[in-house]
Amino acid sequence: MSEHTESKDRSQLRQKRMIADHFERLSRAKEEGKKVVYTFVPGNLTELIGAFDMLPVLPEINALQSGMRKKSAGYIAEAEKSGHSEDVCTYVKCDIGMLRSGNIGPTGTKLPEPDLLLLSYTGCFTFMKWFELLKQEYKCPVVMLHVPYQPDGVITDEMRSYVVEQLRTEVIPAMERVTGTRVDVDKLAAHLSLSKQAEDDLVAVWESARHRPSPIDGYFGGVYYVGPIFSSFRGSHDAVMYYRELREEVEARVARKEGPMAPDGPVKEKYRLVVEGPPNWTNFNEFWQMFSREGAVVVSSTYTRVGGLYDQGFRHDPSHPLDTLADYCLGCYTNLGLPSRVDLLAKYIREYEADGFLVNSVKSCNSFSVGQLLMLRKLEEKTGVPGGFIESDLVDPRYFGKANIENRVQSYLQMLEARKARGTSADAVVSP
Amino acid sequence: MTDPAAPIFERARALVDDYTLGAVKAWKAAHPGALAVGHMPVYTPRPLIEATGSLPVAVFGGGDSLDIIRGDSYFQSYICHIPRSTVELGLGGHLDALDGMVFPSICDVIRNLGGMWKMLFPQKYVAYLDLPQNFDKDVGGRFYTSELRRIARELAGRGARTLDADALLGAIARENERRVTLEQLDAVRRAEPWRLRATEAYVAVRAGSVMPAEEHTRLLREILAAVKLRTARPVDNVRVVLVGSFCEQPPFELIRALEKAGCDIVEDDFQLGMRMIDGPIEPCAGEDPVEALSRAFLERGRASASRYIDRNEKGADLVARVHACAADGVIFAAASFCDPALLDQPMLEAALERAGIPHTSFKFAENTGQFQVIREQAGAFSDAVKLWGPAGAPVAAQEASV
């Protein structure tokens, strides 16, 4: 095994161990008296949950894991059989189906029932319905944290204060009731401090993609990089270690001028892309290979910012625990108005010197998808860089049309190739 | 005998069908310098807009009479229809009379449509109104009042009158009168549905979209007086509550098809925003009327799919409404791809089943043109309820989609 492979494996192995340990802890939670909180990725309050020694479960992560493990089709069918419409979010149906099928988690052990449903209503209307549905299934309290939307890309004092007041008067008291302990502000601050360290290293990883070749794939590879910080580990020593190792590995790749690793080996960078929208999970590797085989590397993506826009300067601030949690929740990518999303994508396209940008529009996610066709036009106008558009779904394999997607990706990349060959200037825009 | 209400309904229907907003243009001509402000479903507090001297205009998309040419190119196939037709209206210049649009929080589609509107019509005023999901007056209430004041301030920045307490108190009083009259209309419909059909009630309410509350009250009173003069005979129909059409509106002919299938729709959530607050808005002595407006929403906002149900059991409100209007069953009529309605539906169905209330469901789009399947389904539902009664009727029928 080469030194490069050993180095790469270190962070991967750590992440794998972290996940296994977490699910192991969850499987013992009830016997050890640990309280379990179900919550969402955007606007998650992992540090606060950690300060109460509670264990988080993230239904979105379970759903995407079910998609990757080819279980989601059955779960969705189960939910549809019980009256859920084919029109609605497949994450929700996958979760409901998984619950009705025994609630077996990604590591094969049964997930514990929640002691608290923490409904962080951030950037996605469906979250609210999702936990109203789960409320019917579990006899446990639900606490709602309504995070206002940022239509103009500005966090106002009123928004922040609304979130802080809900944390103070609703969320923390609910956690105190469930755990029987008072909030330990010092412990919360300590977790926030660890978050900040991990966030610094994650940003360095993202920004490494400015190099040519990019040492990372900031979308397909990126979803693995955000795993710990988006889920149960932000604010932990494990996460700090993971991101330190990952950063070292990426910096070593930069020094060696290596491109990213894909499922079928190293990628020789030919096209640099920015991607908007979540990936498809049911055929994730096939989807990635459609790009990696053609030398298309994603240098930046917006899906990897749904759990926090750290590369735009946000860091958890231990000296203002509640304000910083509020700002974090308010600042998640899908909580931004469309004009702000266009501005951010344009910035990525320019700063990462992308040859093109691609929208993967998923049926399940209106929060992401509504407006993407207009975003595409506006981005082309703003940047002169051509956009491409493909459609799939998060975890419903019925909406992954491999041949269709592959054709579109290939035509798009051929168009980029033709532009390169012609030395086309940025003002000649072609849309596939 | 000539129907005394017919000319009034004809007038109201013309207002509803006119997607070019002739009435709004006429109002603006009569009120030089005043603004007309559109608002999307579900709920925007119209008295706030009226208090700034502006005309609130409820926008429900283009219905079934507008050809969608450009609107479709902005949305994927799995998005509901109302944003397509609304964009079509905007791009076609049919909403030019509006100086601005308010997009209240209801779902991600309407929310993102607000962002699209900003990019498509940069010269127009565009506001997102974040309705609170926390119903404590010191938390959600404080945030909501700040939202309302912000919108009033921004409208003033566009030339509307600066909000003052007296103007808002006046607008609230006029809104209360409108609501009382609307309740009287609803009472007629519940007591004698053959005297006031659901299609007529629909037109009566929706005509108010393009006029101030005071004018709408006058129209409703005219209708009330006229329908009382009708010589109508009772019809042996089943009484149903219709839910799920609070945003994208079903085609008028679809509502008529349900009636023809033997269903008296005695309660519905069409144009829910026009009756979102249960009862009058009552400012307490010395209370800032903005806070009264906020308090009314927090304490008496109707249970709906876009509102988080924090304390009550999900569906309890629907069951109570069914009992209150002595309905025999419920028809779920949701727009295709309507997340709020379709995600809500299994929970509401479960509540109905617990209460032994029969129900059926179908989906529609605002431009649906074929109603035969729905009519047959509603007919079968109606027959089942009539034959076996609510307790004996099948509690769930197959979902149809058109």
Side-chain angles (χ1 to χ4, degrees), chain A residues 232-346:
Chain A
S232 317
F233 306 102
R234 206 180 59 226
S236 70
H237 287 286
D238 267 343
V240 171
M241 290 304 295
Y242 170 80
Y243 285 102
R244 188 173 301 161
E245 285 169 6
L246 179 67
R247 180 178 182 168
E248 286 166 6
E249 290 160 10
V250 168
E251 284 171 351
R253 287 213 289 274
V254 171
R256 293 192 298 266
K257 295 196 179 304
E258 287 176 354
M261 287 295 288
D264 46 4
V267 185
K268 193 168 179 332
E269 179 180 301
K270 199 169 166 191
Y271 312 104
R272 295 167 66 83
L273 302 179
V274 166
V275 173
E276 148 77 10
N280 162 270
W281 300 109
T282 56
N283 298 67
F284 185 80
N285 281 351
E286 278 175 274
F287 193 28
W288 188 351
Q289 283 163 351
M290 288 178 198
F291 293 81
S292 60
R293 282 183 194 146
E294 305 293 333
V297 174
V298 182
V299 285
S300 190
S301 64
T302 50
Y303 175 70
T304 53
R305 272 61 166 180
V306 292
L309 276 166
Y310 305 113
D311 60 342
Q312 301 307 303
F314 173 80
R315 294 291 183 279
H316 281 94
D317 176 3
S319 59
H320 299 93
L322 297 191
D323 284 358
T324 203
L325 287 173
D327 283 359
Y328 165 72
C329 294
L330 286 157
C332 295
Y333 175 72
T334 42
N335 206 45
L336 302 181
L338 257 59
S340 306
R341 284 169 59 184
V342 169
D343 289 345
L344 184 66
L345 276 157

Side-chain angles (χ1 to χ4, degrees), chain B residues 39-99:
Chain B
H39 58 89
M40 295 295 293
V42 172
Y43 173 68
T44 297
R46 290 169 66 94
L48 182 85
I49 296 174
E50 282 202 21
T52 68
S54 310
L55 176 68
V57 179
V59 176
F60 291 101
D64 58 354
S65 52
L66 180 73
D67 285 335
I68 308 298
I69 299 159
R70 285 169 286 186
D72 274 342
S73 71
Y74 287 87
F75 298 97
Q76 300 89 321
S77 56
Y78 49 80
I79 309 291
C80 55
H81 207 271
I82 188 171
R84 300 163 197 279
S85 62
T86 306
V87 165
E88 187 73 35
L89 287 171
L91 293 175
H94 303 306
L95 303 181
D96 285 355
L98 301 180
D99 301 283

Side-chain angles (χ1 to χ4, degrees), chain A residues 14 85 119 133-134 166-167 172 191 270 397:
Chain A
R14 180 181 292 277
S85 169
L119 168 46
L133 283 160
L134 288 194
Q166 289 176 84
L167 290 171
I172 291 175
H191 283 301
K270 199 169 166 191

Side-chain angles (χ1 to χ4, degrees), chain A residues 60-79:
Chain A
E60 297 141 287
I61 305 284
N62 295 337
L64 77 85
Q65 291 276 0
S66 298
M68 292 180 107
R69 292 183 297 125
K70 310 287 184 199
K71 300 256 187 198
S72 54
Y75 291 156
I76 290 166
E78 185 68 32

